[in-house]
Each structure stands twice: as structure tokens, then as C-alpha cells.
Amino acid sequence: MKLWLTGIAAFLSLQLSAQNLNLDNTLAYQLTESLTVEVGQRLAGSEADARAVAWAEKKFKQLGYDKVWVEPFTMQYWQRGQASLTVSAPFHQNLVVTALGGSVGTPFDGISAQVVQFDSLEQLKTATSAQVKDKIVFINKSMGKDKLGTFYGSVVGARAQGAVEAAKLGAKAIIIRSVGTSINRFAHTGIMRYSDDVARIPAAAISVPDAIQLDKMLRLQPELSLQLQMQNKLPGEVISHNVIAEITGSKRPDEIVLISAHLDSWDEGTGALDDGAGVGIVMATGALLKQQAQPERTVRVVLFGNEEGGLVGARAYAAKHADNLKQHVFASESDFGAGRIWRLDTGFGNNSLPFGSALQKKLAHLGIALGDNTASGGPDVSVLKAQGVPVASLQQDGTDYFDYHHTPNDTMDKIEPAAMQQNLEAWLITTTAIANSQLDLRK
Amino acid sequence: MKLWLTGIAAFLSLQLSAQNLNLDNTLAYQLTESLTVEVGQRLAGSEADARAVAWAEKKFKQLGYDKVWVEPFTMQYWQRGQASLTVSAPFHQNLVVTALGGSVGTPFDGISAQVVQFDSLEQLKTATSAQVKDKIVFINKSMGKDKLGTFYGSVVGARAQGAVEAAKLGAKAIIIRSVGTSINRFAHTGIMRYSDDVARIPAAAISVPDAIQLDKMLRLQPELSLQLQMQNKLPGEVISHNVIAEITGSKRPDEIVLISAHLDSWDEGTGALDDGAGVGIVMATGALLKQQAQPERTVRVVLFGNEEGGLVGARAYAAKHADNLKQHVFASESDFGAGRIWRLDTGFGNNSLPFGSALQKKLAHLGIALGDNTASGGPDVSVLKAQGVPVASLQQDGTDYFDYHHTPNDTMDKIEPAAMQQNLEAWLITTTAIANSQLDLRK
Ligand SMILES: [Zn+2]
Ligand SMILES: [Zn+2]
Ligand SMILES: [Zn+2]
Ligand SMILES: [Zn+2]
């Protein structure tokens, strides 16, 4: 396992020249900008991930947190290699393609095979091996847009499980239309899964314009061949870290109010929306909260590692803290971009619903309505919710989130400073209210 | 010189399965779609360019043109290689970069050097060699948006002449902020120039988000180094072609009304807006015009080759037809994307201005106003205008043109079918009016 010491040393030496932070309502934006400019992408397990961990420790200290520490965990490291996808005769065109996270590569010379198109994962599941065997499967399902990103769930299955379903039928590889809502020519990455009893075939995504293009080509020439080449690496186990910082509670320090985001990102953008924004928001929340007054309960900010690989840091956190999860009186995560918060959803005990209503009234001036009591709390926090920890979701407007999500286009310039201020204010009000309450939200 | 015969043979065999064309108001869109789907990118001089020429000949014949031929010309072929640009310690990030057209590559190991930023080409010109020597110059000038694309002219100089100005001061390479108006993370390519008496240094563009990012990094760390690697090739002279087709005039066949577009495109998108749309519009115009009635004058549709390399096909055309340019009674080009036409500009003799006004009245129902009499006629046609050929410009709304222009994102899905219909109708009205007129527009 590498420790990436050289990069981190070079990085820490920079901090002398780095900008000072102003503890005001622009703090979330400042932090997200600092992370994306000074570290950039931070693929879990990479040297950049280690620099992000060093960045987070440094910033937490600079922000005046009472305690700062890291918690290591072991993870499987996956590295993207170059990828290309070429349409053979008669069209001779290159399509914009990217490997799905976790995918094996192809042989060095690539895989050449006829392509067979399906409208969805569900349609693939009904296919016969005669249709699919020795071919490259292409799943061409488009995705709709709304505030909550509800269409993601119905499309992402092709990304997660497509390789297994295609391989069961003898496919040589699978490509999917990007799980995204933009017609810009970026391919969306994201984690995919293999099954131990099914062959591991390469899996990749093509951009939406390229999916439209390939569909048109197939209408003209149904017997079309593709050549896919990808050089991904799976170097094995490495150590990554959750980074944790606390503002110690003045009256009930053993009661933990956990707010969180994930520090890792995919490697092609700079992870500004996913999840640099969340990192900025929750780091700033703790700092401004302490500036107001020490909270009664302890506010713990957790920056989870390797969310993208499948909540790996969150599971490590839940395992390590299994014995004191009961002391976690609340948990929430910011991980849906940088749009304005428009709804408060809770996951409280029934007796605590009036507290949720009262909290919403404190948020109403920010344009935040009361939602339902089925909040997940966020991807990583859902692991804690499964263990009985009360949660809430400050729902962000994610209408444009999947225009950028998991693409090279997830960069800082997509973030509106005023929306970040609104997020910070909402998180500060929410965290303060819960940290200064005596209520047991489990009840 | 290669003749790319294999690709063309494979391509022509496809035509059996290709879609038939409907001669109606959707014809321009159909043609642009056919070109971008069946051929895709068509970098001048490449095998794909040869396939585009074969496509155009085939389609002109299919559309019922009276004569179809090609005119060869010699050109310098340039091929893009892989490009990468890395920010060194402490940031360790890759920026999205593309070679400018015509640029030499770097040595195989790349060029590593400190970066020095300028606001504009003009500021670079005032620099001293002490500031620039052995460095990589970075010109970070942003571009505004309007219907006419007027900001292009004030920004594109850095692309065209930056390498020469930087090399005069001893720079090792130059990178520019993309000449474009989008914050999507695409780098814009386009032709650049060398001067015989100045060293040829590599020239590249980074995307707008990357330019913003690099500027922020330089504020934190003014002594920043970059590593640029590019593997472009300059294989030398090849043959490309102008493709020409005519509807023969019924009464004055020797009088030529020339309408045009350029067939070549940059290599990273599919050249839908630049200039697939123009190709579709003018090819459809001639076909629908003949469908109505044979015109009195000859309507000649010219698809110029290698516009992107610097009007190479247009100059070859002007040279070859030097003796009968006087018989060219009119010329115009469609080469500004696929937005609606909103203004008619002319380049007529003063006696012909009433004809221009009358023509505008025939176009008014399409939302087209009368502009001025200083039209260029379009990039390629400006070469003919310089020889005294009367011209007009049917000005398209180019507000979003430079969001896509010369990027991988210039693809068919960006074109609105209804806008293409409006273009076709305007071209048909204009071409018909001039082809059936006896007026000498030179006067
Ligand atoms: Zn996320
Ligand atoms: Zn994600
Ligand atoms: Zn053009
Ligand atoms: Zn162009």
C-alpha cells in the first residue's frame, strides 16, 4: 500500500501561500473553491485523495475546530486508463466514452464485436443468449429531469448491473448511454458491480449525443461493429481515510450531532458539485456555529472517504463506531450539488415530528418547505439510519445536478455563490437547533 | 499522397442501406443529419474528408442536380495527436487541452516550464523577453456573446498569432483560453499560424473552466509550472476537393448564381453546426429550386474544401475560375451554424440596393430585417467578393454558436429542425429571386 508521501509533503508546503479563510456567510463557497483549486479531483485511494485528506485536516484546524482526526480504512483501488470506442465500417467514427468505475479493461488490442441495442436493463434481462452472445451490448435509456433527481433510480441500474446481466448472456462488453440529463458531449462515469459467479466484462458509458448518434447509425446499418479499448487498472488494496472534526458540546458532549459530506470524487471533473459543495457546506457550518457559541451537544463533522466506490468510508465508520452509534442523536449529509435547499425531510421518531415542524418554520424565510418523514439523510448517512440514527435531508434543487454529475464538467464554475450561502444558512440553523435541543429524535 | 480508397469503397457500399431523402422543407435537416451520422467529422485532407466528398457527389446526384463534379486542390495535411497538460506541484492536476490546428507537437517527453499569464495578445506584445523567455505563455482572454459573433474577432487573434508573438520573446509554448462562450469543459480548436522567421512553438487551447482554474492557481502560487505534451503530425501535401453541382439556367446559363458552404470540419465534433448545417441548407436549396422550376440563370452549389485550414478550397476555386469570375453574378455562403436568419446584408452595387430592399420584403414574414451593404458573403465567399463578385449574407442568430464551435460538442443534437426549415425557406426565396432576375448586381 502506498502512502503518497511525496505529493502530500509538496502539498502541505503550499499552505503557506494559500488564501486565508474569512469566517462569514461565504465560507462554504471559499472552502469548496479551495478544495477544487488546490486539490482538484480526488479519486478514492489515489495520491490526490491523500492530498484531500491532508487538506481537510489542515482546514479543520485553521477553522478552529476543537478536535480533528482521521480514521483509516482499507479499500480496493481502481484506476481509469485511456478509453476509446470506434464505430467500424462504413462509418469510421470515434464516440466519446468513459470507463465505468470498477470496470476491468479490455485486452490491449481491444474488443471488436457487433453491437446489439436495448432500450433498458429490463429489456436486456428478457433477451436470449442467441441475441447477445459474443456481442457488445448497448443500453440506450434516456433520463428525465426534476428537482429531486427521481429519474436517476430508474436509469442507474443499467450502469450498476448491466455488466452482470450482459455477461450472463455471453456478451463481450457493455456500453450504456450516460446516466445524465445533459446533451453536452460528456460521458458519465460511476460505480458498477460484478458478481462472483459471472464473467467480468468491460463496462463503459458513452455521452448522450453519442448514444443518439449510435442509435441513428444502427437504424441505417443494423449489423454494425464497435471496437472498445480500455486500460483500467485494479492495483489492489490501499488505505484511505474518513476525516473527522468536532466542536465539543458544552452541556452534553457525549451526544453527537453528525453532519457530513464525502471527500472523495470521481477523477474526470474536480468534484465541485459532487461533493466539494457538501464538504464546503458542512465544514463551514461547524466553524460558524462555534463562532456563534459553543453548542450544548457535540457537533461532529465527518468527511467520508470513498463514497463513490459504494459507501466504503461510511461502512467503516459505522463498524468502528458500532458501540456508540446510540450516542449519535442525529445525522445528515450534504451530497446533491450546490442548488438551493427547498424542502426539509426528516427521519425522526413520531414524537419528534413537532420539532421538525418548528425547525421548518425557522427555515421558511429561505424558501424551505416541510416535506415528509422518509428522509434517507444522504447516501453515506443512510448506513447510520439503517442502525437507527435519526436523520434529516435538506433537499437541494437538483434539476441540473445530473447535467454535470460524474463528468469532466463537474467544476467550480458551475456553482452559484448565493446558493451556497443559502445552503450554509439552512445547515447552520438546522444544526444549531438540534445541537442545542434536549429532544431524543429517536422517539 | 494517399487516396483513401479503402474507406471510400466501404462507404459507398453503405449507400444501398442509407435513407432516402424527402424533397420537402425538412430536406436541409435530413442532409445535415445524413452527413454527420454517415460521415461524422471530416478533417480536411483526411480519409473522412474523402468520404465526405464521395457523400456529397452521391447526394447531389440523388437530389437531381443537372451536373456534379469535383475540383481537386493541394493542401498541407495536419493531424491532431494526443494532448495533455498537467499542472505541476503543488496542485498536480490535468487540464482539458486541445491542439490548435496547424500546431507542431512537443518533444515526446513534453515541455515543462513555468507559466506566465497575460490578459490578451495585446498585453503579450508589450512584454519583455525577460518575462517570457523559456516559459509557457498563457493568454486568458474571455469572450462575450451576441447574435453576430462580433466578439470573436477581438479574441481569435491570440489563437491565430499568439504562437508567433510568444516565440519572438523566447517562449517554449503557448496555451490560450478557448475562443468560445460556453462554460462547458471543452477546449476549442481552430487554425493558428507560424511565421517563417520565428521559431515554431506548440500552441494549444484549454477549456474555459480550466482557464478559470489556472488563473485561480496562479493567484495562490505565481511560480507555477506546466507540462505540455502533444503529438501532432504534419504529413505533408495531400489532395482534397471542392464539390460542385449545378442546376442549369434555362435562359442565361452562363450567368452563375453561386451558393455555398464548406464541407470540411474540425475533427473533434461531427461538424454539425460548422458547417454541416450550411451544407444541408445550400444542397437543399438547389434541389427544391429545381423542383419548383428550372431557374433562368445557372445555380451553382459549391461545397468548399478545407475552409478551416484558411480558405484553401476557396482560393483554389478563385484561381481555377479566375477567367470566368465575371460570369459569377452573385455568391453567398451559409457558415454560421443553424440559428434562424434574422437579417439580410448585401454587398451590391448602389443601383442594385432597391433589389435588396425588395428581396427583404419577400423575407420579412420569416422575421428577416434589412441590414447594411457591407456583407462579406461568408468566409469562403469573401475571396470571391475580393474579386468583385456581388454577395449577400443571410445573417443567422449566432448567439450560441460559439458555445459549440470547434469543440467536440458540435454535434447534430444541437440543431433545431424548425430553425433549419426557416433557413432553407430564406435561401430558397433569395436564390430564386436572384436566379430569375436580369439585374447586374455589380452595378
Ligand atoms: Zn456524491
Ligand atoms: Zn457521486
Ligand atoms: Zn465554418
Ligand atoms: Zn470553423
Side-chain angles (χ1 to χ4, degrees):
Chain A
M1 297 178 208
K2 293 190 191 173
L3 284 171
W4 310 118
L5 290 177
T6 330
I8 297 170
F11 177 76
L12 290 175
S13 73
L14 159 79
Q15 303 297 312
L16 295 171
S17 67
Q19 275 173 315
N20 284 320
L21 297 167
N22 298 316
L23 268 66
D24 59 24
N25 66 353
T26 67
L27 183 58
Y29 187 88
Q30 291 174 61
L31 286 161
T32 307
E33 185 173 47
S34 169
L35 175 61
T36 54
V37 171
E38 295 170 44
V39 181
Q41 70 84 15
R42 44 207 177 273
L43 182 69
S46 70
E47 174 272 343
D49 183 25
R51 280 188 287 121
V53 168
W55 173 91
E57 284 189 81
K58 189 97 185 175
K59 290 294 171 191
F60 273 132
K61 287 173 188 164
Q62 205 179 326
L63 290 168
Y65 277 76
D66 298 323
K67 290 185 199 162
V68 182
W69 72 98
V70 299
E71 294 182 353
F73 60 85
T74 306
M75 56 162 283
Q76 293 296 327
Y77 180 33
W78 174 86
Q79 273 182 308
R80 183 183 313 281
Q82 285 197 334
S84 70
L85 182 66
T86 307
V87 181
S88 302
F91 299 119
H92 304 283
Q93 295 186 33
N94 296 318
L95 304 183
V96 170
V97 66
T98 198
L100 296 181
S103 172
V104 296
T106 63
F108 186 78
D109 291 340
I111 291 173
S112 288
Q114 205 180 305
V115 59
V116 53
Q117 181 172 193
F118 295 96
D119 295 337
S120 63
L121 179 66
E122 293 66 38
Q123 199 197 21
L124 170 63
K125 283 181 180 172
T126 67
T128 63
S129 72
Q131 288 173 274
V132 172
K133 192 163 163 41
D134 293 332
K135 292 183 182 159
I136 295 175
V137 163
F138 167 40
I139 298 182
N140 186 19
K141 182 164 185 183
S142 65
M143 180 175 162
K145 263 191 173 192
D146 70 356
K147 270 185 172 178
L148 284 165
T150 46
F151 297 97
Y152 190 64
S154 62
V155 180
V156 76
R159 191 188 82 202
Q161 303 148 40
V164 167
E165 295 302 328
K168 278 184 193 168
L169 298 169
K172 284 188 167 176
I174 180 169
I175 56 171
I176 63 165
R177 179 182 178 126
S178 281
V179 176
T181 51
S182 158
I183 57 160
N184 290 315
R185 205 169 173 212
F186 297 108
H188 297 227
T189 191
I191 200 70
M192 54 77 63
R193 300 279 172 213
Y194 291 119
S195 174
D196 281 342
D197 51 349
V198 179
R200 297 178 171 230
I201 61 172
I206 59 176
S207 83
V208 170
D210 289 278
I212 294 169
Q213 177 86 333
L214 182 54
D215 175 63
K216 286 179 177 172
M217 289 173 174
L218 285 165
R219 286 165 202 264
L220 292 177
Q221 191 85 350
E223 315 260 294
L224 202 60
S225 286
L226 296 177
Q227 167 143 37
L228 176 67
Q229 216 170 359
M230 294 200 298
Q231 275 119 52
N232 308 321
K233 285 183 198 158
L234 293 141
E237 280 195 346
V238 294
I239 300 282
S240 184
H241 298 84
N242 295 322
V243 185
I244 305 177
E246 281 185 356
I247 313 292
T248 311
S250 59
K251 295 195 178 163
R252 294 178 295 289
D254 292 344
E255 297 182 9
I256 297 165
V257 175
L258 185 152
I259 61 174
S260 65
H262 66 85
L263 186 57
D264 68 309
S265 77
W266 285 107
D267 52 323
E268 297 193 294
T270 62
L273 294 166
D274 186 15
D275 184 24
V279 167
I281 290 163
V282 298
M283 290 180 91
T285 297
L288 295 190
L289 188 139
K290 183 180 164 80
Q291 197 187 32
Q292 291 170 356
Q294 205 74 7
E296 296 180 14
R297 287 164 162 165
T298 290
V299 172
R300 178 178 288 181
V301 181
V302 181
L303 304 181
F304 292 107
N306 201 8
E307 186 272 347
E308 299 293 2
L311 316 180
V312 182
R315 292 184 214 282
Y317 180 92
K320 183 176 170 68
H321 297 270
D323 290 345
N324 79 338
L325 283 186
K326 292 226 170 62
Q327 287 170 287
H328 287 63
V329 301
F330 175 78
S332 188
E333 183 172 26
S334 173
D335 181 24
F336 202 54
R340 280 166 199 270
I341 296 166
W342 62 283
R343 201 171 84 182
L344 168 69
D345 290 345
T346 55
F348 294 166
N350 282 335
N351 292 349
S352 300
L353 291 180
F355 178 83
S357 297
L359 176 56
Q360 182 269 327
K361 290 193 178 66
K362 292 183 191 169
L363 297 167
H365 71 286
L366 296 171
I368 300 172
L370 189 61
D372 59 35
N373 197 37
T374 64
S376 74
D380 292 300
V381 159
S382 69
V383 175
L384 303 178
K385 178 180 158 118
Q387 303 294 321
V389 177
V391 303
S393 292
L394 286 164
Q395 298 284 11
Q396 292 168 296
D397 184 339
T399 309
D400 297 333
Y401 184 57
F402 293 105
D403 284 359
Y404 304 111
H405 181 250
H406 293 192
T407 74
N409 207 20
D410 177 2
T411 51
M412 190 66 200
D413 51 292
K414 310 306 183 297
I415 295 183
E416 189 204 337
M420 285 291 275
Q421 290 181 25
Q422 189 256 14
N423 271 266
L424 176 52
E425 196 173 340
W427 275 85
L428 193 53
I429 290 167
T430 303
T431 310
T432 303
I434 295 169
N436 292 333
S437 159
Q438 300 189 32
L439 196 67
D440 180 355
L441 296 170
R442 282 176 165 82
K443 290 186 179 162
Chain B
M1 297 179 207
K2 295 191 192 173
L3 283 171
W4 310 119
L5 290 178
T6 330
I8 297 170
F11 176 76
L12 289 175
S13 72
L14 160 79
Q15 302 298 312
L16 295 172
S17 66
Q19 274 173 315
N20 284 320
L21 297 167
N22 298 316
L23 266 68
D24 60 22
N25 66 354
T26 67
L27 183 57
Y29 187 88
Q30 292 174 60
L31 286 162
T32 307
E33 184 173 48
S34 169
L35 176 61
T36 55
V37 170
E38 295 170 45
V39 180
Q41 71 84 15
R42 43 206 179 272
L43 182 70
S46 69
E47 172 271 344
D49 183 25
R51 279 188 288 123
V53 168
W55 173 90
E57 284 188 82
K58 189 98 186 176
K59 290 294 170 191
F60 273 130
K61 287 174 187 161
Q62 206 179 326
L63 290 167
Y65 276 77
D66 299 323
K67 289 186 199 161
V68 182
W69 73 97
V70 298
E71 293 182 353
F73 59 87
T74 307
M75 56 160 283
Q76 294 296 326
Y77 181 32
W78 175 86
Q79 272 182 308
R80 184 183 311 282
Q82 286 199 333
S84 69
L85 182 66
T86 307
V87 181
S88 303
F91 298 120
H92 304 283
Q93 294 186 33
N94 297 319
L95 304 183
V96 170
V97 67
T98 199
L100 295 181
S103 172
V104 296
T106 63
F108 186 77
D109 291 339
I111 291 173
S112 289
Q114 204 179 307
V115 60
V116 54
Q117 182 172 192
F118 295 96
D119 294 338
S120 64
L121 179 66
E122 293 66 37
Q123 199 198 23
L124 170 63
K125 284 181 180 172
T126 67
T128 63
S129 72
Q131 288 173 272
V132 171
K133 191 162 163 40
D134 293 334
K135 292 181 182 159
I136 295 176
V137 163
F138 167 40
I139 298 183
N140 186 18
K141 183 166 186 183
S142 65
M143 180 174 163
K145 262 191 175 193
D146 70 358
K147 270 186 173 177
L148 284 165
T150 46
F151 297 97
Y152 190 64
S154 62
V155 180
V156 76
R159 190 188 81 201
Q161 304 149 39
V164 168
E165 296 301 329
K168 279 184 193 168
L169 297 170
K172 286 188 166 174
I174 180 169
I175 56 172
I176 64 164
R177 179 182 177 126
S178 280
V179 175
T181 50
S182 157
I183 57 159
N184 290 315
R185 204 170 175 210
F186 297 108
H188 298 227
T189 191
I191 199 71
M192 55 78 63
R193 299 281 171 212
Y194 292 118
S195 174
D196 281 342
D197 51 350
V198 179
R200 296 178 172 229
I201 60 172
I206 58 176
S207 83
V208 169
D210 289 278
I212 294 169
Q213 176 87 332
L214 182 55
D215 175 62
K216 286 180 178 173
M217 288 173 174
L218 286 165
R219 286 166 202 265
L220 292 176
Q221 191 85 352
E223 315 259 295
L224 201 61
S225 286
L226 297 176
Q227 166 142 36
L228 175 68
Q229 216 169 359
M230 293 200 297
Q231 275 119 52
N232 308 321
K233 285 184 198 157
L234 293 142
E237 279 193 346
V238 294
I239 301 282
S240 185
H241 298 84
N242 295 321
V243 184
I244 305 177
E246 281 185 356
I247 313 293
T248 310
S250 59
K251 296 196 176 161
R252 296 177 295 288
D254 292 343
E255 298 182 8
I256 296 164
V257 174
L258 184 151
I259 61 175
S260 64
H262 66 85
L263 186 57
D264 68 310
S265 77
W266 285 107
D267 52 323
E268 297 192 294
T270 61
L273 294 166
D274 185 14
D275 184 24
V279 168
I281 289 163
V282 298
M283 290 180 91
T285 297
L288 295 191
L289 189 140
K290 182 180 164 83
Q291 198 186 30
Q292 290 170 359
Q294 205 76 6
E296 296 181 13
R297 287 164 161 168
T298 290
V299 171
R300 177 178 289 181
V301 181
V302 181
L303 304 182
F304 292 106
N306 200 8
E307 186 271 348
E308 298 294 2
L311 316 180
V312 182
R315 292 184 214 282
Y317 180 91
K320 183 175 171 69
H321 297 269
D323 290 346
N324 79 337
L325 282 185
K326 290 225 170 64
Q327 288 170 284
H328 287 63
V329 300
F330 174 78
S332 188
E333 183 173 26
S334 173
D335 181 24
F336 202 55
R340 280 166 198 272
I341 296 166
W342 61 284
R343 203 172 83 181
L344 168 69
D345 290 345
T346 55
F348 294 166
N350 282 335
N351 291 349
S352 300
L353 292 180
F355 178 83
S357 297
L359 176 56
Q360 182 269 326
K361 288 192 180 66
K362 293 185 191 167
L363 297 168
H365 71 286
L366 296 171
I368 300 172
L370 188 61
D372 60 34
N373 197 37
T374 65
S376 73
D380 291 301
V381 160
S382 69
V383 175
L384 304 178
K385 177 180 159 119
Q387 303 293 321
V389 177
V391 302
S393 292
L394 286 164
Q395 298 286 10
Q396 293 168 294
D397 184 340
T399 308
D400 298 332
Y401 184 57
F402 294 105
D403 285 359
Y404 304 112
H405 180 251
H406 293 192
T407 75
N409 207 20
D410 178 1
T411 50
M412 190 66 200
D413 51 292
K414 310 306 183 299
I415 294 183
E416 190 203 337
M420 286 291 275
Q421 290 181 23
Q422 190 258 12
N423 271 266
L424 176 52
E425 195 172 342
W427 275 86
L428 192 54
I429 290 167
T430 302
T431 309
T432 304
I434 295 170
N436 292 334
S437 161
Q438 301 188 34
L439 196 67
D440 180 354
L441 296 171
R442 282 176 167 79
K443 289 184 180 160

